[in-house]
Amino acid sequence: MGSDKQSVGFLETLKMERVRTIFTPAYPYPHEHSRHAIIAVVIGCLFFISSDNIHTLVEKLDNNIKWWSMYGCLLGFFYFFSSPFIGKTIKPSYSNFSRWYIAWILVAAVYHLPSFQSMGVDMRMNLSMFLTIFVSSILFLIVFHIIFYGLWYIGLVSRVAGKRPEISTILQNCAVLSIACCVFYSHCGNRAILRERPLERKNSNWFAFWKKQERNTWLAKFLRMNELKDQVCSSWFAPVGSASDYPLLSKWVIYGELACNGSCVGSSDGISPIYSLWATFIGLYIANYVVERSTGWALTHPVSVKEYEKFKKKQMKPDFLDMVPWYSGTSADLFKTVFDLLVSVTVFLGRFDMRMMQAAMSKVQDGGEQGDLLYDHLSEKDEMWFDFMADTGDGGNSSYTVARLLAQPSIRLTRGDSVVTLPRGNLLLIGGDLAYPNPSAFTYERRFFRPFEDALEPPLWYKPEHVAVNKPEVPCGVSELKQYDGPQCFVIPGNHDWFDGLNTFMRYICHKSWLGGWFMPQKKSYFALQLPKRWWVFGLDLALLGDIDVYQFKFFLEVVKNKIALGNILKFRKKNWQFDFIGGIIYFILVFSMFPQCKLDHILQERSFSGHLRSFIGTVWSAFIYMLEHSYVSLAGALLLLIVAITFVPPKVSRKKRVIIGVLHVSAHLASALILMLLLELGVETCVRHKLLATSGYHTLYQWYRTVESEHFPDPTGLRARIEQWTHGLYPACIKYLMSAFDIPEVMAVTRSNLCKNGIDSLSRAGAYVYYASVFLYFWVFSTPVVSLVFGSYLYICINWLHIHFDEAFSSLRIANYKAFTRFHIKSDGDLEVFTLAVDKVPKEWKLDPDWEVESKEPRQFSHLNKFPSKWSAAATHQDPLHTVKIVDQFVIQRTDKSDIGSSNGPVNQ
């Protein structure tokens, strides 16, 4: 019995359920072997490529400068296209798309240029083999996952296997596997090593490095990379045997070539090294997957409960939204913003105005009833602190930084030799534009409410879905608003809050009582606040017209009676990579009708650089004239762009200057698009003339691969023929059209040659779609960096010389830093002391504040009573806004008539 009790106590001490929770994750860990496989493949690529004489690439390359120029332009444009995504993660979905897109388009173009054969790299063989192995691997793994998922469904494997694998993980592993096989084949071939090779020789090759007497010899061989490469290929990666060793699987293996000097008689029964390598990787993937999914084990070292809790806290981070991409061409929010703006201007402010509805609901006639608009509960205080901030609803890091400062009970700052303590404001005034880019429930909750709730939590009883009917809904134990001594908040709407006719603002501000821990008694979109010492705050609602309505005018009348610009050139696309979608399409529309340029002999036949340049510029001018006279699509696109460019210029500029600025702006874009179009056509024409493109047809790569495949991959059992028969020709057809789709330059060149010979009428509608789509794939890469450069230069020039477009230029840079707010102090003598507080560097990484965590466990009704009210602190302590905030301005507005401070009449301070 004693032993039983002891065992039970031991189990309770270990908290086995907790340990089991740690060791069995809620979802399977990612495949650790995938990362190691990628590293191994990269090292293998560097090893094999360095084993050949790289300098022969330069020696064998044609001396004509055109190839160097073509390589330089191609690689340069591809670098600039991908530069915003280097070294950082920008929207993983788009970043992943850009990575695959660049690899596809660049490799498809480079393998047509001379001369990678000098490096021992047969690009055609590598590409065709990669695609074949890639598709085969995907199909094989999909079948495996279906079978494994079925085993889980009938209960033969554990519950952890129920989560479906991510298709991106399968694609990544298949890509790594295919690259490894291609690298091996490029440098080792497909020779079947004879099994009669003595085992002792293999062992001597394996362990020669570790024998002291042979170490110098091994080092000498290492310096002769070619010899070492042969040893690696013949010994380290020897195949697993011959097909006769596996009689049941002999018809399902790929055979290798005979390992003999000169011609070989007969066929080999040796298993292909490529097949062996592929099967090994597939086996590792399956074994890794089965172990992880069937046991739930992470294949990593277990951690203690204490370490796990510490790690969990370290990983806790806020899910703040990033700055709004104002120049994104793919953001649904921005398109919705444009639509809402049009509706608001033409409908809400043309026929219906929410301000009139508010006035009607309040029964305001001639400024009579002021109960919903005038708040005087703060007027009797002897002194008062209050804060003002505006434009809150952009980046979460910026909003939370300011909100964290606003929520602190006090802020201690050093001013010269003195220390200044600024208490938290009793009142928080927030200017307009609470959420960008449009006032939706999502943007209000995530961009506005979330940072403030994390900075100062709402009361425990508060429910976000609660709708306040009779405001102010003061907390329990407080009979009237005047008795509530916690921080309060009043908000005025901005133009972005009006994009939906003020609907969301009314629902989230006027019909809710709490912004985090700030109480909101406000009922309407405009208000008047009577503060101590006859100071007043007038919260005006200017809507989208920059003017107040007549009801506001009457009400306030009655109350009175009683970043940096240079960054746009260098950083515009880096900050606004979503602009790619708009820029690429705009440029393609401008030159759509100019493809193809068939008569380029006069440019290519010039013998001097100046002659090339003159002919090039003349061709660009001819293309522009052609657009004006014959190209309806491009001309319409240019005119539409001109209208948009003129409208984009701020209206404060005279009409004549707006037209001139718009014309110059569009001219720069049009000239750039025409130059890029001609560069692309010259590149294709050069390759066609040297028979690097358009040599046969659309399926050149596939036809070449089938010839090489039959020569170097013998198939005595007819495995490929059986697979083709069983799939009714679908499998080879899939490979055939996949290779054709991959080889975009060949498709483009073949169609272009047909067009130049037979005219546009000879091309079917489907053929036209294919041609223009293939052209667009490359033209998009060339144009997106240029359109961003031109547009960024336009903003730079406008700011520095024309002094316009300040808002557009700075919003494009999406600067999260340099945020500020103003703290006011109405002193007992009536003077108004003003402090402007600013943070230069906004933290990007946050962690759970341990002081907040301890204090939040204490039962307390209001969070503003806490000493540490904010949930997150900066991950780097020296970057926390509490330590970096500073006073950038301080001044005092003196009371105009101090003798009448105690009287009810006298001048009003505003």
Side-chain angles (χ1 to χ4, degrees):
M1 242 178 120
S3 62
D4 290 340
K5 289 184 179 179
Q6 184 178 1
S7 62
V8 172
F10 179 72
L11 290 176
E12 290 178 350
T13 303
L14 284 180
K15 298 181 181 179
M16 291 304 295
E17 187 63 31
R18 185 72 173 276
V19 176
R20 189 179 296 108
T21 301
I22 296 173
F23 287 164
T24 307
Y27 56 91
Y29 279 62
H31 302 291
E32 291 293 327
H33 293 307
S34 301
R35 180 167 56 89
H36 302 311
I38 293 175
I39 296 174
V41 169
V42 171
I43 294 176
C45 289
L46 296 176
F47 169 76
F48 282 124
I49 291 176
S50 63
S51 64
D52 292 312
N53 296 321
I54 299 180
H55 68 274
T56 57
L57 174 64
V58 179
E59 292 177 355
K60 293 185 178 182
L61 197 63
D62 195 310
N63 292 326
N64 197 316
I65 195 174
K66 60 175 173 283
W67 297 120
W68 290 106
S69 302
M70 195 172 297
Y71 268 110
C73 291
L74 190 66
L75 296 177
F77 276 111
F78 274 87
Y79 168 76
F80 287 118
F81 179 84
S82 58
S83 58
F85 318 106
I86 297 177
K88 58 176 62 179
T89 301
I90 304 177
K91 285 282 185 181
S93 57
Y94 187 83
S95 185
N96 291 333
F97 161 78
S98 175
R99 193 178 297 117
W100 286 95
Y101 180 81
I102 285 292
W104 167 34
I105 298 299
L106 179 60
V107 173
V110 168
Y111 99 89
H112 283 287
L113 299 179
S115 155
F116 273 86
Q117 197 70 36
S118 303
M119 294 174 59
V121 180
D122 191 337
M123 293 295 292
R124 292 183 300 175
M125 190 66 213
N126 280 278
L127 286 175
S128 55
M129 180 179 287
F130 171 84
L131 295 172
T132 304
I133 299 178
F134 185 66
V135 174
S136 303
S137 303
I138 292 176
L139 295 177
F140 188 91
L141 291 182
I142 288 177
V143 172
F144 159 73
H145 283 296
I146 293 175
I147 295 175
F148 191 77
Y149 194 74
L151 293 176
W152 166 84
Y153 187 76
I154 62 179
L156 295 182
V157 292
S158 73
R159 62 177 180 84
V160 186
K163 183 175 176 62
R164 299 176 184 177
E166 300 226 355
I167 189 64
S168 60
T169 303
I170 298 177
L171 294 176
Q172 173 182 310
N173 283 278
C174 291
V176 173
L177 187 155
S178 304
I179 293 173
C181 292
C182 292
V183 172
F184 177 82
Y185 180 80
S186 297
H187 299 276
C188 297
N190 192 39
R191 296 177 299 170
I193 309 301
L194 296 178
R195 295 180 60 223
E196 287 74 14
R197 182 183 299 275
L199 182 62
E200 292 79 15
R201 183 178 178 183
K202 289 187 178 180
N203 290 337
S204 65
N205 287 331
W206 269 92
F207 302 105
F209 178 76
W210 306 108
K211 297 180 180 180
K212 294 183 178 179
Q213 64 270 23
E214 297 185 13
R215 189 173 299 170
N216 293 334
T217 304
W218 194 95
L219 184 60
K221 289 182 178 180
F222 181 79
L223 296 177
R224 297 193 295 270
M225 299 295 292
N226 284 329
E227 296 180 9
L228 180 61
K229 182 190 71 173
D230 293 337
Q231 283 193 357
V232 171
C233 294
S234 61
S235 301
W236 292 8
F237 290 136
V240 296
S242 64
S244 60
D245 297 328
Y246 310 95
L248 295 178
L249 301 176
S250 60
K251 293 184 178 181
W252 295 95
V253 300
I254 304 297
Y255 292 85
E257 299 173 283
L258 286 173
C260 59
N261 295 324
S263 60
C264 298
V265 181
S267 60
S268 169
D269 70 340
I271 298 176
S272 165
I274 306 299
Y275 178 79
S276 300
L277 186 62
W278 177 83
T280 301
F281 277 119
I282 288 291
L284 286 174
Y285 175 91
I286 294 176
N288 180 40
Y289 190 88
V290 170
V291 171
E292 289 185 359
R293 294 297 179 105
S294 60
T295 64
W297 193 258
L299 294 182
T300 56
H301 296 290
V303 296
S304 64
V305 176
K306 185 176 181 180
E307 290 173 336
Y308 174 77
E309 293 292 344
K310 185 178 180 180
F311 176 79
K312 184 178 178 181
K313 290 181 180 179
K314 186 177 180 181
Q315 294 301 310
M316 289 186 64
K317 296 179 180 179
D319 55 344
F320 294 147
L321 297 181
D322 200 0
M323 305 287 286
V324 175
W326 291 106
Y327 294 87
S328 171
T330 59
S331 174
D333 276 342
L334 293 180
F335 287 107
K336 183 180 183 299
T337 300
V338 175
F339 175 78
D340 288 345
L341 177 59
L342 294 175
V343 172
S344 298
V345 173
T346 59
V347 177
F348 291 113
L349 293 182
R351 301 174 177 85
F352 174 78
D353 193 333
M354 178 60 75
R355 298 174 298 183
M356 298 181 182
M357 177 63 74
Q358 294 179 81
M361 292 175 64
S362 300
K363 300 179 181 178
V364 176
Q365 297 178 0
D366 298 329
E369 187 174 325
Q370 302 175 0
D372 292 345
L373 305 172
L374 174 61
Y375 300 86
D376 58 358
H377 60 286
L378 300 171
S379 61
E380 297 179 3
K381 292 180 177 293
D382 184 55
E383 64 175 341
M384 179 182 172
W385 291 83
F386 64 100
D387 301 318
F388 173 78
M389 67 175 299
D391 295 329
T392 59
D394 204 338
N397 290 324
S398 304
S399 298
Y400 178 75
T401 295
V402 176
R404 174 170 167 79
L405 292 169
L406 293 170
Q408 301 306 305
S410 62
I411 301 177
R412 291 174 58 87
L413 307 104
T414 302
R415 183 76 168 174
D417 297 332
S418 61
V419 177
V420 180
T421 301
L422 305 181
R424 177 175 53 209
N426 306 99
L427 173 67
L428 172 60
L429 301 173
I430 300 181
D433 294 341
L434 306 183
Y436 294 109
N438 59 69
S440 65
F442 174 82
T443 55
Y444 261 59
E445 291 173 357
R446 293 293 303 277
R447 294 193 180 275
F448 180 53
F449 275 83
R450 179 69 60 82
F452 280 88
E453 290 173 348
D454 285 353
L456 191 65
E457 288 186 318
L460 297 177
W461 69 81
Y462 172 69
K463 297 181 179 180
E465 65 273 11
H466 174 69
V467 176
V469 179
N470 295 315
K471 295 182 70 174
E473 295 183 340
V474 294
C476 295
V478 179
S479 59
E480 58 179 341
L481 182 60
K482 186 179 296 186
Q483 296 181 356
Y484 179 70
D485 60 352
Q488 304 172 33
C489 178
F490 284 80
V491 186
I492 60 172
N495 60 322
H496 284 266
D497 302 305
W498 262 97
F499 284 175
D500 67 343
L502 216 62
N503 180 60
T504 309
F505 179 91
M506 297 296 294
R507 179 154 49 104
Y508 279 86
I509 303 300
C510 299
H511 294 156
K512 288 186 180 296
S513 295
W514 294 91
L515 172 64
W518 285 272
F519 182 64
M520 294 193 301
Q522 176 180 347
K523 299 180 182 180
K524 298 293 181 287
S525 64
Y526 54 93
F527 54 85
L529 288 173
Q530 185 178 357
L531 303 182
K533 315 303 179 184
R534 294 205 302 272
W535 287 96
W536 287 80
V537 172
F538 294 157
L540 307 178
D541 181 4
L542 304 180
L544 294 171
L545 301 178
D547 195 7
I548 62 175
D549 60 295
V550 62
Y551 300 103
Q552 288 188 77
F553 182 80
K554 290 182 178 179
F555 165 70
F556 290 117
L557 179 62
E558 186 66 25
V559 171
V560 171
K561 288 180 179 179
N562 294 313
K563 148 184 99 88
I564 294 180
L566 183 61
N568 280 283
I569 296 180
L570 305 177
K571 298 181 180 180
F572 181 87
R573 184 168 176 265
K574 185 176 181 180
K575 298 287 186 179
N576 303 276
W577 49 267
Q578 300 94 331
F579 193 62
D580 289 356
F581 187 77
I582 296 177
I585 291 182
I586 290 176
Y587 270 33
F588 187 68
I589 291 176
L590 292 177
V591 297
F592 170 80
S593 303
M594 265 67 79
F595 286 103
Q597 292 286 315
C598 299
K599 300 178 181 180
L600 299 177
D601 295 347
H602 58 288
I603 299 179
L604 299 175
Q605 292 175 359
E606 294 286 346
R607 297 185 178 275
S608 62
F609 177 78
S610 58
H612 285 301
L613 184 61
R614 283 195 304 270
S615 299
F616 185 87
I617 296 175
T619 306
V620 171
W621 178 255
S622 300
F624 173 70
I625 299 300
Y626 177 85
M627 183 196 75
L628 296 178
E629 296 177 349
H630 302 95
S631 178
Y632 301 109
V633 175
S634 298
L635 181 60
L639 291 177
L640 181 60
L641 182 63
L642 179 60
I643 295 174
V644 173
I646 295 175
T647 308
F648 185 67
V649 180
K652 67 178 183 180
V653 181
S654 65
R655 184 177 300 179
K656 181 180 179 180
K657 289 185 177 180
R658 294 177 65 187
V659 173
I660 295 175
I661 294 173
V663 170
L664 293 176
H665 188 190
V666 173
S667 298
H669 284 298
L670 184 58
S672 300
L674 291 172
I675 291 173
L676 292 174
M677 176 272 302
L678 197 55
L679 286 176
L680 178 59
E681 286 291 277
L682 280 173
V684 176
E685 178 70 16
T686 302
C687 291
V688 171
R689 288 173 177 266
H690 288 78
K691 297 183 179 180
L692 298 173
L693 285 173
T695 55
S696 55
Y698 294 113
H699 304 293
T700 305
L701 184 60
Y702 176 75
Q703 295 168 0
W704 178 89
Y705 173 72
R706 291 302 296 264
T707 303
V708 176
E709 183 185 44
S710 61
E711 180 181 353
H712 295 281
F713 292 86
D715 185 22
T717 62
L719 177 61
R720 286 191 290 267
R722 291 201 304 273
I723 295 178
E724 182 175 353
Q725 181 182 359
W726 292 339
T727 60
H728 301 281
L730 181 62
Y731 181 76
C734 180
I735 297 295
K736 177 180 179 179
Y737 286 101
L738 179 63
M739 289 184 178
S740 180
F742 185 90
D743 196 3
I744 294 297
E746 186 70 19
V747 174
M748 178 171 58
V750 170
T751 311
R752 179 182 181 275
S753 298
N754 293 334
L755 281 172
C756 291
K757 290 179 181 179
N758 305 317
I760 190 67
D761 296 334
S762 64
L763 196 64
S764 64
R765 179 171 297 182
Y769 290 152
V770 170
Y771 173 69
Y772 286 112
S774 60
V775 170
F776 176 75
L777 289 173
Y778 280 97
F779 191 77
W780 188 43
V781 175
F782 296 159
S783 62
T784 48
V786 176
V787 66
S788 298
L789 178 64
V790 173
F791 189 73
S793 302
Y794 165 78
L795 292 177
Y796 173 78
I797 294 172
C798 287
I799 287 178
N800 287 276
W801 283 278
L802 304 178
H803 306 294
I804 59 176
H805 284 313
F806 286 97
D807 290 344
E808 293 82 0
F810 283 94
S811 63
S812 71
L813 295 176
R814 302 170 64 189
I815 305 172
N817 299 320
Y818 307 106
K819 302 304 177 186
F821 67 96
T822 305
R823 179 157 288 179
F824 300 88
H825 179 207
I826 300 177
K827 303 170 70 173
S828 57
D829 60 359
D831 290 347
L832 181 65
E833 195 172 13
V834 184
F835 301 86
T836 301
L837 307 180
V839 175
D840 291 341
K841 184 73 173 180
V842 169
K844 296 181 180 179
E845 297 292 332
W846 304 91
K847 66 178 181 180
L848 193 66
D849 192 338
D851 295 323
W852 174 89
E853 187 180 23
V854 172
E855 195 173 26
S856 64
K857 296 177 181 178
E858 301 176 2
R860 188 167 290 176
Q861 190 176 18
F862 298 106
S863 59
H864 69 266
L865 300 176
N866 293 345
K867 184 178 179 181
F868 305 99
S870 300
K871 184 176 182 179
W872 311 107
S873 61
T877 306
H878 65 279
Q879 292 183 351
D880 195 277
L882 297 183
H883 302 145
T884 60
V885 63
K886 59 185 179 181
I887 300 176
V888 296
D889 196 11
Q890 178 183 1
F891 57 91
V892 176
I893 303 177
Q894 293 185 347
R895 179 75 168 86
T896 54
D897 187 5
K898 295 185 179 180
S899 61
D900 294 333
I901 287 180
S903 63
S904 59
N905 298 321
V908 176
N909 298 281
Q910 302 178 31

